[in-house]
Amino acid sequence: MTVLVAAQQTETPDTLPSRQARLAYRGGEVGSTAGVAPGFVQGNLAILPAEYAGAFHRFCQLNPKPCPIIGMSDVGSPYIPALGADLDIRTDVPRYRVWRDGEVVDEPTDVTKYWRDDLVTFVLGCSFSFEEALLDEGMPIRHIEQNVRVPMYRTNIACGEAGPFAGPMVVSMRPFKPADAIRAVQITSRYPAVHGAPVHLGHPHLIGIKDIAKPDYGDPVAVADDEIPVFWACGVTPQSVINAAKVPFAITHSPGLMLVTDLKNRNMAVI
């Protein structure tokens, strides 16, 4: 990866690390966005035909932990100026997933050829934002240390239903020593727009995870004997729901490869 960019002292729209990252992805760069453009908010994508947008919006309202909306496009528009003046939804994500009838049929780095005039884009908050706050407290983030994607799991936690959208919550996992896990709860509670506090600590089987070494998305990371797994609601949940609903057409990001926006992580904190 070559897009890990430190914030500059004097930032202009052309020098923002977030824009530099998007330009790299627009040019074909591929890789996990964990740790990319420090200080800037990243987002999960769910792009759906307008006829499904109302029900999906309601689904997000019913499930704010996994699906906190931070941006939404006009019908047919690939732009969301509030998230970045030059941001182009069709090209600025490292890798996408194209879905037909609930199944992934392509994983391109550019979805321009799939774009339609009836599509609505939802950008959902991402836990990478609160990771910055954890790192500032000196708390290690295992998947960043190992330069892999965060492990994510489907659970037995049912989401609230809206129209055709229903299914299990997806969670992301980070291992911590117990004292650090308590501190992580305190820190991430300040960030409800990017999933907030964990939904579960320890005992993966209690939320339907059979083997923590085999995530459904992302990459496995080790949990040491003196650590416990800590689980946060995850913005990959819509992909599980799109699969369950058998939506005729949809586009999402590839798990762990997010949209980098010009929003600042510090503005996501509520206290």
Side-chain angles (χ1 to χ4, degrees), residues 46-88:
I47 305 172
L48 297 157
E51 65 179 298
Y52 291 94
F56 185 76
H57 189 269
R58 178 61 177 157
F59 177 82
C60 293
Q61 291 177 318
L62 292 172
N63 301 280
K65 291 283 283 186
C67 300
I69 297 174
I70 60 172
M72 184 175 172
S73 75
D74 293 329
V75 178
S77 175
Y79 308 111
I80 307 178
L83 301 184
D86 76 319
L87 186 153
D88 191 326

Side-chain angles (χ1 to χ4, degrees), residues 50 72 84-85 87 95 141 161 169 212 215 240 242:
M72 184 175 172
L87 186 153
R95 189 172 297 281
I141 306 295
E161 300 182 15
M169 182 186 298
I212 201 167
S240 176
I242 286 168

Side-chain angles (χ1 to χ4, degrees), residues 6-238:
Q8 303 178 22
Q9 289 184 341
T10 302
E11 294 175 345
T12 68
D14 287 336
T15 64
L16 285 176
S18 52
R19 184 173 188 270
Q20 292 175 349
R22 290 197 300 274
L23 290 176
Y25 300 136
R26 195 179 299 175
E29 188 86 41
V30 177
S32 170
T33 56
V36 168
F40 292 86
V41 173
Q42 299 188 25
N44 303 272
L45 282 188
I47 305 172
L48 297 157
E51 65 179 298
Y52 291 94
F56 185 76
H57 189 269
R58 178 61 177 157
F59 177 82
C60 293
Q61 291 177 318
L62 292 172
N63 301 280
K65 291 283 283 186
C67 300
I69 297 174
I70 60 172
M72 184 175 172
S73 75
D74 293 329
V75 178
S77 175
Y79 308 111
I80 307 178
L83 301 184
D86 76 319
L87 186 153
D88 191 326
I89 294 296
R90 301 168 296 186
T91 59
D92 292 0
V93 172
R95 189 172 297 281
Y96 300 81
R97 283 181 158 184
V98 179
W99 301 73
R100 294 191 186 278
D101 300 318
E103 301 296 332
V104 177
V105 296
D106 195 8
E107 295 194 68
T109 58
D110 183 315
V111 292
T112 302
K113 72 176 183 180
Y114 290 106
W115 197 257
R116 300 174 6 181
D117 291 338
D118 67 335
L119 295 179
V120 178
T121 298
F122 296 84
V123 181
L124 310 176
C126 171
S127 57
F128 290 171
S129 289
F130 67 60
E131 286 183 347
E132 181 177 273
L134 296 174
L135 290 168
D136 286 345
E137 291 281 327
M139 300 174 64
I141 306 295
R142 186 69 39 79
H143 63 273
I144 293 179
E145 292 177 336
Q146 297 182 353
N147 194 30
V148 296
R149 295 177 300 166
V150 63
M152 294 161 274
Y153 308 82
R154 288 190 295 270
T155 71
N156 59 12
I157 303 171
C159 292
E161 300 182 15
F165 299 108
M169 182 186 298
V170 174
V171 296
S172 61
M173 188 279 290
R174 295 156 188 82
F176 290 108
K177 294 181 180 180
D180 283 342
I182 293 170
R183 184 63 181 139
V185 172
Q186 295 171 328
I187 293 170
T188 58
S189 295
R190 300 177 57 223
Y191 294 87
V194 289
H195 305 307
V199 295
H200 187 75
L201 288 81
H203 299 304
H205 68 279
L206 293 180
I207 55 172
I209 299 172
K210 295 181 180 179
D211 188 346
I212 201 167
K214 296 180 179 180
D216 296 294
Y217 312 94
D219 300 303
V221 298
V223 180
D225 291 341
D226 62 346
E227 295 177 328
I228 61 172
V230 184
F231 300 93
W232 280 266
C234 178
V236 173
T237 297

